[in-house]
Amino acid sequence: MKSDVQIKSDVEEELAWDPEVEEARVGVSVRDGVVELGGTLGSHAEKLAAERAALRVSGVQGVTTTLRVDPGPGVARSDADIVQACQHALAWNARVPDEAVIGRVEAGHVTLVGEVDWGYQSKAAEAAVGN
């Protein structure tokens, strides 16, 4: 069984290896095998990539995050822009049935609404708008 110190080191190495994550902006702490990631990243996709990287490390019992997303000045998008981007992403994903799922956005937070027949379609919808 790995020590918390070894897990922390391994998570930091995994973050450094992952090209989707700017590891210098992510703080890592570990307690009883549970990793906490903190800091501010430039996109939600980068936040998800950091979480996935930590989960790839053997010995990790779970991941919590206080990571914030701040795209920087002049990059912020309105809720209307985000809804439009969700519509395009869903429409272009062949695994999501046409008009079965829509995105609802409030204060930058996306909620997918609708019904699909299969679990893979639900996961595809989430993946389509996740970035």
Side-chain angles (χ1 to χ4, degrees):
M1 185 167 169
K2 288 185 181 179
S3 69
D4 287 346
V5 172
Q6 182 61 50
I7 292 172
K8 179 179 187 230
S9 175
D10 291 351
V11 169
E12 290 171 340
E13 286 179 23
E14 189 70 16
L15 290 168
W17 177 83
D18 193 321
E20 291 185 90
V21 181
E22 191 176 337
E23 80 278 357
R25 298 180 73 182
V26 180
V28 178
S29 63
V30 181
R31 182 172 178 202
D32 298 328
V34 177
V35 175
E36 181 174 347
L37 303 174
T40 303
L41 297 173
S43 71
H44 185 68
E46 187 176 9
K47 177 183 175 185
L48 293 175
E51 292 169 0
R52 284 191 310 267
L55 287 169
R56 284 194 299 265
V57 173
S58 71
V60 170
Q61 301 298 311
V63 175
T64 64
T65 179
T66 57
L67 289 168
R68 292 184 40 240
V69 175
D70 181 8
V75 182
R77 295 184 175 106
S78 71
D79 287 351
D81 291 338
I82 297 170
V83 166
Q84 188 175 37
C86 288
Q87 289 171 328
H88 290 294
L90 292 166
W92 277 91
N93 191 307
R95 293 183 175 148
V96 180
D98 291 341
E99 301 178 15
V101 180
I102 62 169
R104 186 175 66 210
V105 180
E106 183 176 334
H109 296 276
V110 177
T111 303
L112 295 177
V113 180
E115 290 186 28
V116 293
D117 294 328
W118 302 97
Y120 79 88
Q121 294 169 322
S122 176
K123 290 181 190 238
E126 289 178 22
V129 301
N131 292 329

